[in-house]
Amino acid sequence: MNVKAIFFDAYGTLFDVHSVLETCEQYFPDRGMQISEAWRQKQLEYTWLRSMMDKYEDFWKVTEDALAYALKALGLDAGKEVRSALMREYLHLNPYPEVQKALEKLNSRKLAILSNGTQAMLDLLVENARLTQVFSDVISVDELKIYKPYMGVYELGIDKLFIDKNEALFVTSNPWDAAGAKTFGFRVCWINRFNKPFDELGVHPDVVIRNLEELADKL
Amino acid sequence: MNVKAIFFDAYGTLFDVHSVLETCEQYFPDRGMQISEAWRQKQLEYTWLRSMMDKYEDFWKVTEDALAYALKALGLDAGKEVRSALMREYLHLNPYPEVQKALEKLNSRKLAILSNGTQAMLDLLVENARLTQVFSDVISVDELKIYKPYMGVYELGIDKLFIDKNEALFVTSNPWDAAGAKTFGFRVCWINRFNKPFDELGVHPDVVIRNLEELADKL
């Protein structure tokens, strides 16, 4: 594969969104996974719905709103302090265990992040995981005021890197993001970490791997 | 309230999408509710994602795709015949028990359906529930090739009825649909059948009721 640059999705792909689990458990014993799953589900829904309604709010706000909804829906009472503590976790999500090493193997290419997160969220996330040196570009959808899988977001990626879409590979764990990138015209690698079926959206990824370590071998 | 016309959402508002439960149980004992919930969740996701990617397929296809995904994700093996049998249920969804009587009480206004369903799906659904006489208009998003909560869909409603948005009330059980209609500028009635919190999307319905029977009293 002739690949000049690799775009990585951040949340769920490089970073484990369920890293919030431990702190959820501290405040709400035995409810951590429920909270984390409802939170993530609503966060995604709100990015899609706000995009469709042309009512953009940035990813920090959407993540706060999703957390507030998730806690209410689960009948859990949380004041502002608890919610702030949970939100802080979003700046310290753990990279998946193989990420650091796998990225090192790939660094003959330009490596970039293309994510729904705000610039500040992404910069802190990357810094806290000591990955700042690895990426040439950390690109946020925020300047477009619309979320993935809107086509303009993928376009933003190639515009920022001054490359053509056929020179890039797009790597994500999120099937809807993979479908968006494929629809845009990227070659797409889907990381299927949890052995799930791919979404039925009329397109398919070019490469499927179990974790990022497998990517270097495929290239 | 000065209301000339009332728009009703169909799926989940007038008709119970979980009417499929019984047939699901026939084929997959004890898995009915899981299937029905996963199916509905994916159906909605696919309408949003396809709208964002500008990859419209009609609601029948999206519903088929969502069913195929849901069964796979739950590890259930279903051939084409079983899936067809489940899809047929979508043309025979039960109206909620109070719907017929409640609509009769409201019929001094123009009553219309504005729904994601295809024209054929909606016409059969209304006919099978013997509600054909009740509605002046049954409006499908299909001619726009995009789904709710895209603003153009709500615009289509008032265009078809030749009315102004402030002359209408929009009634739905789906919080994201209520948020869309409110963002468009409709007065909105949210039917909160299952005592859930409203979505955190920056807008709120004007009226909240438990079931359609309460609507006549509010007007």
Side-chain angles (χ1 to χ4, degrees):
Chain A
M1 245 191 243
N2 172 28
V3 173
K4 265 197 194 168
I6 308 178
F7 290 102
F8 295 91
D9 169 54
Y11 300 100
T13 298
L14 300 175
F15 301 95
D16 183 358
V17 292
H18 299 298
S19 312
V20 299
L21 202 77
E22 211 175 307
T23 311
C24 289
E25 284 284 330
Q26 265 177 39
Y27 292 108
F28 305 104
D30 300 326
R31 307 295 295 272
M33 195 36 104
Q34 260 186 315
I35 297 168
S36 184
E37 283 178 352
W39 186 2
R40 172 66 172 168
Q41 177 65 33
K42 272 290 153 181
Q43 180 196 47
L44 293 177
E45 284 187 17
Y46 288 174
T47 61
W48 302 329
L49 291 166
R50 283 189 174 276
S51 297
M52 283 189 74
M53 293 192 290
D54 200 10
K55 268 177 76 76
Y56 180 85
E57 293 282 352
D58 75 25
F59 200 60
W60 184 260
K61 173 76 165 93
V62 161
T63 303
E64 278 184 332
D65 288 347
L67 174 60
Y69 179 91
L71 292 170
K72 261 192 256 173
L74 294 169
L76 300 172
D77 207 19
K80 211 177 165 181
E81 249 173 80
V82 173
R83 281 183 282 132
S84 295
L86 291 171
M87 282 299 295
R88 272 194 299 276
E89 290 302 300
Y90 243 84
L91 305 174
H92 296 268
L93 300 175
N94 302 320
Y96 284 103
E98 85 283 8
V99 164
Q100 173 101 41
K101 269 201 174 166
L103 291 175
E104 277 167 22
K105 280 195 206 166
L106 296 165
N107 74 4
S108 64
R109 283 97 177 170
K110 214 173 225 202
L111 306 182
I113 285 178
L114 178 57
S115 164
N116 275 345
T118 65
Q119 197 67 51
M121 288 172 83
L122 293 170
D123 289 345
L124 279 166
L125 193 61
V126 168
E127 196 182 306
N128 289 334
R130 300 176 185 217
L131 291 170
T132 312
Q133 304 306 316
V134 177
F135 298 104
S136 69
D137 298 78
V138 175
I139 306 164
S140 162
V141 305
D142 190 53
E143 67 181 85
L144 296 183
K145 310 290 178 215
I146 196 163
Y147 289 103
K148 297 175 180 180
Y150 174 67
M151 292 299 110
V153 167
Y154 304 104
E155 183 85 42
L156 178 69
I158 60 168
D159 288 352
K160 291 275 179 189
L161 263 61
F162 300 102
I163 57 167
D164 211 70
K165 63 174 106 172
N166 59 32
E167 297 173 312
L169 179 72
F170 190 93
V171 180
T172 180
S173 297
N174 294 297
W176 51 271
D177 189 21
K182 189 67 201 165
T183 299
F184 173 68
F186 276 134
R187 281 169 294 173
V188 171
C189 170
W190 177 43
I191 310 183
N192 185 9
R193 294 190 185 276
F194 305 108
N195 197 25
K196 291 207 172 166
F198 194 73
D199 266 317
E200 301 281 338
L201 288 164
V203 287
H204 298 281
D206 300 282
V207 183
V208 182
I209 57 179
R210 288 297 180 100
N211 61 60
L212 210 53
E213 221 172 353
E214 296 176 21
L215 185 58
D217 307 330
K218 298 268 179 184
L219 288 177
Chain B
M1 246 193 243
N2 173 28
V3 173
K4 264 197 193 167
I6 308 177
F7 290 102
F8 295 91
D9 169 55
Y11 300 100
T13 298
L14 300 175
F15 300 95
D16 183 358
V17 292
H18 298 299
S19 313
V20 299
L21 201 76
E22 211 175 307
T23 310
C24 289
E25 284 284 331
Q26 264 176 42
Y27 292 107
F28 305 104
D30 299 328
R31 306 295 294 271
M33 195 35 106
Q34 260 186 315
I35 296 168
S36 184
E37 282 178 353
W39 185 3
R40 172 66 172 167
Q41 177 64 32
K42 272 290 154 181
Q43 180 196 47
L44 293 176
E45 284 187 18
Y46 288 174
T47 60
W48 302 329
L49 291 166
R50 283 190 173 276
S51 296
M52 282 188 74
M53 295 192 288
D54 201 11
K55 268 177 77 76
Y56 180 85
E57 293 282 352
D58 76 25
F59 200 60
W60 184 260
K61 173 76 166 92
V62 161
T63 303
E64 277 183 332
D65 288 347
L67 175 59
Y69 179 92
L71 292 170
K72 261 192 254 172
L74 293 169
L76 300 172
D77 208 18
K80 212 178 163 182
E81 249 173 79
V82 172
R83 280 183 283 134
S84 295
L86 291 171
M87 282 299 296
R88 273 194 298 278
E89 291 302 301
Y90 242 84
L91 305 174
H92 296 269
L93 300 176
N94 302 319
Y96 283 102
E98 84 283 9
V99 164
Q100 173 101 42
K101 268 203 174 164
L103 291 176
E104 278 167 21
K105 280 195 205 165
L106 295 166
N107 74 2
S108 63
R109 282 96 176 171
K110 214 172 225 201
L111 306 182
I113 285 178
L114 178 57
S115 164
N116 275 344
T118 65
Q119 197 68 53
M121 288 173 83
L122 293 171
D123 288 346
L124 278 166
L125 194 60
V126 168
E127 195 182 308
N128 289 333
R130 301 177 182 214
L131 290 170
T132 312
Q133 303 306 317
V134 176
F135 297 104
S136 68
D137 298 78
V138 176
I139 306 165
S140 162
V141 305
D142 191 53
E143 66 180 85
L144 296 182
K145 310 291 179 215
I146 196 163
Y147 289 103
K148 298 175 179 180
Y150 174 67
M151 291 299 110
V153 167
Y154 304 104
E155 183 85 43
L156 178 69
I158 59 168
D159 288 353
K160 290 274 180 190
L161 263 61
F162 300 100
I163 56 167
D164 210 72
K165 64 174 104 171
N166 59 32
E167 295 173 313
L169 179 71
F170 190 92
V171 180
T172 181
S173 297
N174 294 297
W176 52 272
D177 188 21
K182 189 67 202 166
T183 299
F184 173 68
F186 276 135
R187 280 170 293 174
V188 171
C189 171
W190 177 42
I191 309 183
N192 186 8
R193 293 190 186 277
F194 305 107
N195 197 27
K196 290 207 173 167
F198 194 73
D199 266 318
E200 300 282 340
L201 288 165
V203 286
H204 298 280
D206 300 283
V207 182
V208 182
I209 56 179
R210 289 296 180 102
N211 61 60
L212 211 52
E213 221 172 353
E214 296 176 20
L215 184 57
D217 307 329
K218 299 267 179 184
L219 289 176

